[in-house]
């Protein structure tokens, strides 16, 4: 039985690769994709989500618009990484598949209520606004979530948008605080893991060598957003953050981490959005998240290349 998932996302080239990986993988069933404001504003993330579904040959996927801004603050975006459209790189046709009627937050609530308890996994790849808003609006649903597997935060790598904070958590720390306190099983793919998922030249060439449209798009998206991280970190490629979430659902043994307490800093102007992970277990605060620390990068790219090749 495939695992039922809802992808909550702000595409983003790496979000796009994560969506492709999910749609190419029989281990997961995508019940819907909900767009959130993040890397770029909501009208672009919801458009990009549909572009990606069409690229995967899946115009039947339900795509919703969720929240257009963080719960308490103004939106911070990341065009400096992802480009003006959020999906800069190769030219892509506008989507023809429709957006679903209704708000994405209501879709999350209704789906969790309609499906058997403990059978739906939430996969947030952007700021946690939609998930936290759903939990606030419908407190009964948290108990029904199988697991939340999210990309966000950092411990050893600290921050990428400020010295202390990772982008997804920084954009909406109040939402992240609600999610980490929800009592749901939470698995976190922080920068500590995703900075090991580097798109080195041979890995990008392997996507291109697939000779398919999807392979070419993944290679060209990567070519585009790489330039920023290579310059910033002096690394051999850019981190493919969000696909780590989907890869974990398919092949969890690629990842290792610790079940620890993670709290979100919401008050300090200096460290706002920091994920304060008790990696060394120096407090008696109760563990609330599986915080990943390492991945088998070769295995990860082998899986990704094989599955993108299926599209
Ligand atoms: C996260 O921020 C976004 O720019 C990426 O899509 C990823 O979800 C990395 O910090
Ligand atoms: Ca993202």
């Amino acid at each position: 039985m495939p695992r039922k998932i809802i992808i909550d996302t702000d595409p983003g080239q790496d979000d796009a690769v994560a969506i492709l990986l999910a749609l190419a993988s029989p281990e997961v069933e995508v019940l819907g994709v909900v767009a959130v404001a993040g890397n770029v504003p909501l009208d672009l993330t919801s458009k990009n989500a549909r572009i990606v579904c069409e690229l995967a040959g899946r115009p039947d996927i339900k795509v919703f618009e969720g929240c257009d801004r963080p719960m308490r603050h103004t939106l911070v975006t990341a065009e400096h990484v992802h480009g003006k459209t959020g999906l800069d790189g190769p030219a892509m046709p506008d989507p023809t598949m429709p957006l679903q009627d209704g708000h994405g937050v209501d879709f999350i609530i209704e789906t969790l209520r309609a499906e058997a308890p403990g059978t739906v996994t939430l996969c947030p790849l952007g700021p946690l606004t939609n998930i936290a808003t759903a939990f606030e609006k419908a407190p009964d649903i948290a108990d029904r979530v199988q697991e939340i597997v999210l990309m966000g935060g950092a411990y050893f790598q600290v921050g990428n948008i400020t010295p202390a904070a990772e982008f997804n958590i920084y954009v909406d720390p109040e939402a992240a605080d609600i999610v980490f306190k929800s009592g749901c099983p939470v698995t976190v793919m922080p920068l500590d893991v995703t900075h090991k998922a580097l798109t080195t030249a041979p890995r990008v060439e392997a996507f291109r060598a697939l000779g398919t449209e999807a392979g070419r798009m993944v290679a060209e998206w990567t070519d585009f957003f790489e330039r920023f991280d290579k310059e910033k970190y002096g690394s051999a490629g850019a981190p493919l953050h969000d696909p780590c979430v989907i890869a974990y659902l398919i092949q969890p043994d690629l990842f290792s981490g610790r079940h620890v307490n993670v709290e979100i800093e919401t008050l300090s102007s200096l460290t706002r959005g920091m994920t304060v992970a008790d990696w060394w277990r120096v407090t008696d605060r109760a563990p609330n998240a599986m915080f990943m620390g390492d991945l088998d990068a070769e295995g990860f790219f082998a899986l990704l290349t094989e599955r993108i090749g299926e599209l």
Side-chain angles (χ1 to χ4, degrees), residues 180-181 183-186 258-263 277-279 281 283-291:
F180 278 86
K181 287 184 174 143
C184 296
V186 175
R258 296 185 180 188
H259 192 231
V260 296
N261 178 269
V262 181
E263 305 277 333
D278 190 4
W279 182 262
R281 299 193 178 109
T283 75
D284 55 9
R285 295 197 286 261
N288 60 344
M290 184 68 194
F291 200 84

Side-chain angles (χ1 to χ4, degrees), residues 8-16 36 38-39 82 124-127 151 166-168 241-242:
D8 193 273
T9 176
D10 63 338
Q13 294 88 350
D14 62 319
D15 302 70
V36 68
N39 286 322
H82 301 277
L125 311 176
M151 191 280 136
E166 180 280 330
F167 179 79
N168 289 341
H241 305 280
D242 295 337

Side-chain angles (χ1 to χ4, degrees), residues 44-129:
L44 290 174
T45 59
S46 65
K47 177 179 168 187
N48 293 344
R50 287 176 292 147
I51 288 175
V52 177
C53 290
E54 288 188 358
L55 173 62
R58 295 296 305 275
D60 58 303
I61 296 287
K62 293 180 186 164
V63 177
F64 293 84
E65 280 193 336
C67 299
D68 65 357
R69 76 194 71 160
M71 296 180 93
R72 315 257 182 274
H73 294 274
T74 51
L75 178 65
V76 176
T77 53
E79 285 88 354
H80 59 295
V81 182
H82 301 277
K84 200 162 46 63
T85 65
L87 213 48
D88 275 19
M92 314 250 346
D94 279 350
T96 56
M97 65 185 277
L99 266 176
Q100 298 294 308
D101 291 337
H103 198 286
V105 167
D106 293 326
F107 169 73
I108 294 170
I109 294 170
E110 283 156 21
T111 305
L112 282 164
R113 285 179 177 162
E115 298 287 339
T119 62
V120 176
T121 294
L122 303 177
C123 299
L125 311 176
L128 290 157
T129 319

